[in-house]
Amino acid sequence: MTAVKSPQPYLSQANCVATFAIDKDIRHRSREIEHAFSAVVGGQANSTNVPDSMAPPIPRFAMQGGPKKISISQVTAQLDMSFDDKSRSLKESFQTLKKNSDLFWKGICKLVPHNDRKDYGVIVAINFPVDQRSQDVAQAIFGKFLNAPTFGDVASCSIQMGFLATEKKLFRNISLGSYEIRKGLINSNPAVTEMQQVINFSEMDIEETGYEIKMDVNSRPRAVEGIPLTEGHGGEIIEELEALIFSDAAQFLKW
């Protein structure tokens, strides 16, 4: 008889975000963008056809391959990754993130001159599934981390904390809350006469409930002081995040 594995935390999403000095000519650099990020997401950099007059943070290009997507605006570049294989251990998935973060930062360094790089950060969302209601999860978070008066049964609870690593000039942030994954059928080919579809998520079946732990490390303190980011900065950020997840803040992953 095969033993049933106990629920373990798994990496559900990750985002790598870089900011830089405004580049109003970014829409003319599709070849450079493709070359810079080809090791992360192959293929073309597709224009979003956004006029130059629109706000700089709106993406001008997008590149996508499987569970990875890169968006580039006049002032930011962002890599979004989703992790669908819940059977993979958190450490295995993190190694995948680590590799892609390294390649993404190398692409940033190719695309953006040294003095124009402002900030880089990596954010992860980690799910810990439990066989409990979301209200029970909220109560557990409240009971474990808060010492505050209650005004009835705890129905929801989330915590957000930010810490400054003074010597390294890095922010290390943690947030904690509950999550629900619901499943249902959506008609992807509605009748021509049907102008819109209304989706009632509360009527969908709950597939999974648990704790959502978000952690991120970013270099905004360096941006405030005008410290340029070197090619080794990406590795420093991901290593700091790895230490936060698996060592310093590991207690947030135990339930």
Side-chain angles (χ1 to χ4, degrees), residues 176-191:
L176 180 65
S178 61
Y179 75 92
E180 284 183 345
I181 296 176
R182 292 177 178 263
K183 63 179 179 179
L185 297 176
I186 299 175
N187 184 6
S188 61
N189 188 24

Side-chain angles (χ1 to χ4, degrees), residues 212-223:
E212 181 184 63
I213 306 99
K214 289 186 178 179
M215 299 188 190
D216 84 77
V217 174
N218 66 75
S219 59
R220 289 192 187 96
R222 299 184 186 186

Side-chain angles (χ1 to χ4, degrees), residues 139 142 148-155:
Q139 177 63 67
F142 186 91
T150 58
F151 308 97
D153 294 336
V154 176

Side-chain angles (χ1 to χ4, degrees), residues 8-82:
Q8 294 294 322
Y10 65 89
L11 184 59
S12 60
Q13 292 183 336
N15 312 96
C16 304
V17 185
T19 63
F20 42 83
I22 189 167
D23 183 353
K24 294 184 178 180
D25 293 324
I26 195 74
R27 68 184 180 90
H28 300 297
R29 303 180 65 190
S30 60
R31 293 278 183 94
E32 294 175 68
I33 290 170
E34 290 171 359
H35 176 69
F37 300 118
S38 61
V40 185
V41 178
Q44 292 184 330
N46 298 310
S47 172
T48 58
N49 297 315
V50 173
D52 289 342
S53 58
M54 298 295 286
I58 298 176
R60 267 55 176 184
F61 289 98
M63 300 175 69
Q64 186 154 6
K68 296 185 287 187
K69 179 181 179 180
I70 295 177
S71 304
I72 302 99
S73 75
Q74 292 181 343
V75 290
T76 61
Q78 179 166 329
L79 167 63
D80 300 320
M81 301 178 63
S82 60

Side-chain angles (χ1 to χ4, degrees), residues 187-208:
N187 184 6
S188 61
N189 188 24
V192 177
T193 56
E194 189 176 347
M195 298 301 293
Q196 64 180 10
Q197 295 185 73
V198 178
I199 301 173
N200 189 344
F201 290 102
S202 64
E203 294 181 355
M204 291 184 175
D205 294 333
I206 298 176
E207 187 178 62
E208 183 177 298

